[in-house]
Amino acid sequence: GVITANRLNIRKEASKEAEVLTVVSKGTGVGVNLTKSTDKFYCVNVIFNGEMTTGYAMKEFITINE
């Protein structure tokens, strides 16, 4: 998927209140795990501090390339 928001919080859990792990910028590519995604959040993999990090981001701000 590709981030469409100017800045998007990647959260520890699929909740707006969950801890923010990192923030990614518009155009950033992320891996999406549809199996672990929820109605409103994608489970995503991003590289943060040189390591792969798994978190959650709101679906409305990610475009999935088919």
Side-chain angles (χ1 to χ4, degrees), residues 4 7 11-12 20 22 25 29 32 34 41 46 48-49 54-55:
T4 58
R7 294 169 50 88
R11 298 183 179 275
K12 189 172 184 176
V20 175
T22 187
S25 302
V32 176
L34 295 175
F41 287 82
V46 296
F48 175 62
N49 286 343
T54 299

Side-chain angles (χ1 to χ4, degrees), residues 26-59:
K26 187 173 187 172
T28 301
V30 295
V32 176
N33 181 332
L34 295 175
T35 305
K36 293 185 178 180
S37 295
T38 69
D39 288 345
K40 296 187 182 203
F41 287 82
Y42 282 125
C43 179
V44 297
N45 295 313
V46 296
I47 295 177
F48 175 62
N49 286 343
E51 293 186 20
M52 186 64 70
T53 300
T54 299
Y56 293 85
M58 293 186 73
K59 285 183 172 183

Side-chain angles (χ1 to χ4, degrees), residues 3-18:
I3 305 301
T4 58
N6 287 331
R7 294 169 50 88
L8 183 61
N9 292 326
I10 305 300
R11 298 183 179 275
K12 189 172 184 176
E13 299 171 6
S15 166
K16 287 184 192 180
E17 288 76 40

